[in-house]
Amino acid sequence: MLNIFRRKGRTKRQQIDRLLGLLLISPWLIGLVLFKLAPILASLAISFTNFYMLNPQETRFIGLSNYLQVFEDQSVGYILFQTLAMAMGALPLQMTASLALAALLSSPRLKGRGLLRTLFFLPSIIPSVAILFIWQGFVQPGTGWLEKLIIQPMGLEGFNNMYSQAATNLLFGLNSLWSIGPGFLIILAALQGLPPEIQEAARVDGAGPLERFFAITLPLISPAIFFGIVINLITVFGGVILLDRGNVFSGSASPYDGYVSQVMFRQYELGYASALAWVFFVIVMGIILLLFSTSRRWVYYPDKGGQA
Amino acid sequence: MKPNPLARFLSPHQFLTLQRWERIGSLLLNILVYTLLVLYLLPMVFMAASALMENRQFSDPNAPIYPARQVTFEYEGKARLVYNVPLESGVRQLALVKPGRTSSQFIDPANPAAGLITWQGYWRQLKGDYQFHLSWESFSLLFRTLRLVNLVKNSLLMALITEVGVLVSSIVVAYGFARFPLPGGDFLFYVLIATILIPDKVTLIPSYFMYTQVLHWLGTWYPLLLPFFFGSAVYIFLLRQNFRSIPRDLDEAAMLDGAGPLRILVSVILPQSWPVVITVSLLHFFYIWNETRQAALYLGIRPDLAPVSFGIQNFQSVSPIQNSLQASALVIMIVPVLVLLLSQRFFMQNMIITGTER
């Protein structure tokens, strides 16, 4: 008798919690329906039509042909490969750099830490036109800083082509390293939020600095690292989250994103552009879901006893 | 056995005590980090230097890397440029009077009475004599041609309005996601992530149609402001991750004391989350400060309502050639951000200390 009552009480409590949860997330749910769902459904519908911006009256349903065209399009495969290769190059570079930098900057032995944090974050918020400007000023044959500061004093042979592979790699590296700011800031905030007692306890137990970092600090900040990976991944795929560098529609760091823009704004093939964007979305979403499913093994949340 | 001469230095009790080791370690760490900083910011220094250069300097391969101006000397009523001329007696700084392909005539600014000096060679191969000089002209030109004060005011107002909306809504929603069982389990959370991942381009045309044709909001701030009052998916995600890493014990203790869910959010969760809340509000400010796409779509017809990012980008695209005007515009974009970052440093540090004490 008592047991039944207890169970009933629990379910009622859960019922209230569910309702409360729904109420709390309702601002987002309303916004989702109003500002996201309608445009998303419309764009999904467009991807099944031959919508041509210069001749919208002729629009009609053409089924899956846009999607079939994506697989037949010879440039798609190459561009997709390029985009994924870029992500594979940028992501380890960015994560290693931001983690190392955050670890260095969390050391209490450093003078002027607050200022250092600010200055290391600064490049991540400069507009993308500035990066281009700086890169041009750096690699410009004859007058660039690279030539004046490094190549001429060392007697090396300078760039004679601004658009050479080496110069482009330099731009890619600069762009990758100059966008670690958000991830770096989030990891640093997590590091500084750690209770110092845990470190002290480990030190007393005889753990060295490296051991403490890998065995204690790293697992404790794993939620921040996970978030850093997700935002860097989305940014490298051409998305805009957290930081908008003011990219224009036509230009993008991600080759695939650039291709979609070209189809949309130069060829005005909205139907095909929508299909291209949706295919990419499915691929990116697959990668992210994979990441989330592995996160259960390595992201630490104290409320699940550290096992979840 | 002969004692190792290094042993005296290596022994921790003799020369290098533990304390000294620590001091050397600190010194090396500082040197390393500050060297990294200089390398990391070098390109930005280049931009700041460019902003203070005269345009002539961008095309002269012999010009120095710092802002400078070629020395001139007035001779016979005209300003003559001074070059480093290699003569038999050594390199001398001489003002060019009569340029020529095979021989040129110079005058010595230190001793003009000595008359013209002839030098054999093509004058264009000579290096100019540069002197450090800051040119503020491009900044004053920018202030005159752009309505900069109005543009900055627009940006700040937009940032302020959306900051309030996005913080309140995102915190409440993130709390819901972090602490309450939701119908469908993790499904709604995955929907949240999906909305972050959906490329802008997918929703661009339909949203534009909705805002301009259905809501008639073209030329207003509403399309740029309103969506933020319903929370921003990425901030919700960030806050949720943080809320979840706070142990539930405190929630439960507060609940036993009779605190309601909002009370728990305000008195238990938020006091432990100041670093992340401040991080989110700063990130949002930078987002609004740099945002140009939405502004281009909806405010292109109303330049008086445009934010500073859009105004400066428009200005940039007018001239594709490198010049100090571009650099100055970029510096103007960055300086307020730098000021904001520097001013909140102390503030944020305090927050972290109170956060860990509880």
Side-chain angles (χ1 to χ4, degrees):
Chain A
M1 222 22 210
L2 212 70
N3 265 340
I4 294 167
F5 269 117
R6 261 196 204 145
R7 201 176 293 148
K8 255 192 179 167
R10 245 196 340 250
T11 39
K12 199 180 175 193
R13 179 66 216 282
Q14 277 179 344
Q15 215 62 31
I16 292 171
D17 268 5
R18 270 170 171 247
L19 217 64
L20 264 174
L22 212 55
L23 196 69
L24 286 169
I25 67 162
S26 61
W28 171 73
L29 277 177
I30 294 166
L32 178 74
V33 174
L34 281 181
F35 300 105
K36 289 267 161 70
L37 222 55
I40 287 168
L41 287 177
S43 97
L44 195 59
I46 286 172
S47 75
F48 292 108
T49 66
N50 62 349
F51 194 88
Y52 182 53
M53 222 189 292
L54 302 182
N55 195 2
Q57 291 87 2
E58 292 286 295
T59 304
R60 57 190 171 77
F61 181 76
I62 53 165
L64 284 172
S65 4
N66 279 331
Y67 289 92
L68 292 175
Q69 200 189 333
V70 173
F71 293 105
E72 280 164 17
D73 192 333
Q74 294 193 333
S75 37
V76 166
Y78 176 66
I79 287 166
L80 202 59
F81 170 76
Q82 246 188 340
T83 308
L84 293 177
M86 250 172 98
M88 292 308 289
L91 202 62
L93 184 71
Q94 289 177 326
M95 287 316 293
T96 316
S98 45
L99 201 57
L101 209 55
L104 281 176
L105 258 68
S106 68
S107 164
R109 294 177 185 188
L110 218 52
K111 297 259 184 292
R113 281 197 291 163
L115 186 70
L116 281 171
R117 179 177 56 201
T118 308
L119 292 176
F120 274 113
F121 180 72
L122 186 64
S124 295
I125 26 172
I126 67 169
S128 58
V129 264
I131 295 188
L132 211 63
F133 178 88
I134 288 165
W135 170 73
Q136 281 176 353
F138 242 68
V139 301
Q140 192 82 255
T143 59
W145 271 33
L146 188 71
E147 185 139 337
K148 282 185 179 171
L149 280 179
I150 298 160
I151 292 173
Q152 277 176 2
M154 289 175 73
L156 298 171
E157 203 172 317
F159 284 123
N160 39 26
N161 180 7
M162 239 171 81
Y163 301 98
S164 65
Q165 190 60 43
T168 315
N169 285 345
L170 195 72
L171 176 66
F172 176 69
L174 187 72
N175 202 12
S176 301
L177 284 179
W178 269 23
S179 25
I180 62 170
F184 156 68
L185 207 71
I186 287 157
I187 292 170
L188 188 62
L191 277 174
Q192 288 177 332
L194 289 181
E197 299 87 46
I198 300 177
Q199 294 280 336
E200 277 310 309
R203 196 206 284 266
V204 169
D205 284 351
L210 276 181
E211 199 182 342
R212 266 179 284 153
F213 183 74
F214 284 105
I216 295 162
T217 311
L218 222 49
L220 282 176
I221 61 164
S222 56
I225 295 173
F226 179 57
F227 187 68
I229 292 178
V230 172
I231 52 171
N232 282 337
L233 200 64
I234 295 172
T235 313
V236 87
F237 285 140
V240 176
I241 27 166
L242 289 182
L243 286 185
D244 191 319
R245 307 195 99 153
N247 291 303
V248 279
F249 282 116
S250 46
S252 170
S254 161
Y256 196 95
D257 212 37
Y259 186 62
V260 176
S261 285
Q262 193 202 323
V263 172
M264 192 179 274
F265 294 105
R266 302 254 167 81
Q267 301 168 5
Y268 305 111
E269 302 270 11
L270 278 191
Y272 183 47
S274 293
L276 276 173
W278 275 102
V279 166
F280 192 51
F281 169 67
V282 168
I283 293 169
V284 173
M285 198 63 195
I287 294 171
I288 301 283
L289 281 178
L290 203 70
L291 206 61
F292 266 89
S293 66
T294 65
S295 81
R296 285 170 206 282
R297 293 204 192 123
W298 63 272
V299 178
Y300 169 84
Y301 297 112
D303 65 335
K304 288 191 180 172
Q307 291 302 310
Chain B
M1 209 174 108
K2 227 169 118 185
N4 187 344
L6 277 175
R8 199 169 74 85
F9 295 96
L10 292 174
S11 159
H13 303 291
Q14 296 273 321
F15 177 68
L16 289 169
T17 58
L18 202 61
Q19 238 177 350
R20 281 193 181 143
W21 268 120
E22 294 239 321
R23 212 170 296 160
I24 289 172
S26 302
L27 188 70
L28 287 177
L29 180 73
N30 277 287
I31 292 172
L32 171 73
V33 172
Y34 280 95
T35 313
L36 279 177
L37 182 73
V38 168
L39 287 176
Y40 196 61
L41 294 185
L42 199 62
M44 294 202 65
V45 177
F46 161 76
M47 193 173 64
S50 303
L52 297 167
M53 284 180 186
E54 285 178 356
N55 280 335
R56 257 180 53 95
Q57 215 183 323
F58 285 95
S59 51
D60 184 355
N62 293 320
I65 55 173
Y66 52 84
R69 164 191 266 176
Q70 199 168 352
V71 180
T72 57
F73 175 69
E74 187 142 325
Y75 180 71
E76 287 177 347
K78 265 173 86 180
R80 319 275 176 176
L81 293 169
V82 175
Y83 288 88
N84 288 304
V85 186
L87 297 172
E88 277 132 29
S89 53
V91 178
R92 284 168 67 188
Q93 283 79 45
L94 301 176
L96 180 66
V97 177
K98 214 177 145 197
R101 199 168 276 275
T102 51
S103 78
S104 309
Q105 289 183 312
F106 294 87
I107 187 89
D108 189 353
N111 185 15
L116 294 175
I117 301 165
T118 307
W119 173 73
Q120 302 295 327
Y122 187 27
W123 68 275
R124 278 190 189 278
Q125 282 166 353
L126 288 171
K127 288 189 177 181
D129 182 27
Y130 276 90
Q131 212 170 36
F132 181 74
H133 171 78
L134 297 179
S135 158
W136 298 93
E137 210 174 305
S138 50
F139 281 101
S140 64
L141 190 67
L142 269 181
F143 273 93
R144 270 182 278 135
T145 47
L146 279 171
R147 286 189 300 172
L148 212 57
V149 178
N150 186 45
L151 292 174
V152 170
K153 196 196 78 194
N154 287 342
S155 279
L156 291 181
L157 208 58
M158 276 189 212
L160 194 71
I161 297 169
T162 54
E163 194 83 71
V164 174
V166 85
L167 276 181
V168 171
S169 54
S170 299
I171 286 172
V172 168
V173 174
Y175 178 53
F177 271 115
R179 283 294 197 257
F180 292 87
L182 293 169
D186 279 344
F187 175 72
L188 282 174
F189 181 64
Y190 285 123
V191 173
L192 180 88
I193 306 298
T195 58
I196 301 174
L197 300 174
I198 289 178
D200 282 5
K201 293 197 179 65
V202 173
T203 56
L204 176 71
I205 303 290
S207 329
Y208 184 75
F209 182 81
M210 186 173 83
Y211 285 133
T212 57
Q213 305 301 311
V214 181
L215 297 164
H216 299 286
W217 281 351
L218 189 66
T220 70
W221 280 0
Y222 295 123
L224 286 77
L225 302 184
L226 203 73
F228 287 109
F229 283 79
F230 295 89
S232 166
V234 69
Y235 302 149
I236 295 170
F237 173 58
L238 178 52
L239 288 160
R240 171 209 179 256
Q241 294 286 100
N242 191 72
F243 291 170
R244 267 171 68 106
S245 66
I246 296 169
R248 271 170 189 266
D249 315 7
L250 289 170
D251 293 31
E252 276 153 21
M255 215 184 300
L256 288 177
D257 288 348
L262 279 181
R263 176 90 203 148
I264 292 172
L265 174 63
V266 173
S267 334
V268 179
I269 308 267
L270 278 185
Q272 300 191 68
S273 311
W274 281 123
V276 73
V277 170
I278 286 164
T279 306
V280 164
S281 47
L282 279 175
L283 289 172
H284 180 70
F285 176 80
F286 303 142
Y287 185 96
I288 298 291
W289 185 255
N290 279 345
E291 204 282 325
T292 53
R293 266 162 298 213
Q294 302 290 317
L297 278 180
Y298 300 107
L299 297 175
I301 56 163
R302 289 289 299 274
D304 55 317
L305 290 177
V308 65
S309 53
F310 181 60
I312 281 182
Q313 192 185 36
N314 259 354
F315 185 74
Q316 293 267 319
S317 49
V318 174
S319 108
I321 303 157
Q322 284 238 306
N323 58 46
S324 59
L325 216 54
Q326 287 184 337
S328 306
L330 296 172
V331 167
I332 287 175
M333 280 290 288
I334 292 164
V335 164
V337 166
L338 183 65
V339 169
L340 184 80
L341 273 175
L342 285 173
S343 64
Q344 61 75 43
R345 161 172 63 101
F346 172 72
F347 187 57
M348 193 164 163
Q349 223 116 23
N350 268 359
M351 293 301 182
I352 292 168
I353 290 162
T354 49
T356 47
E357 267 172 5
R358 284 184 193 177

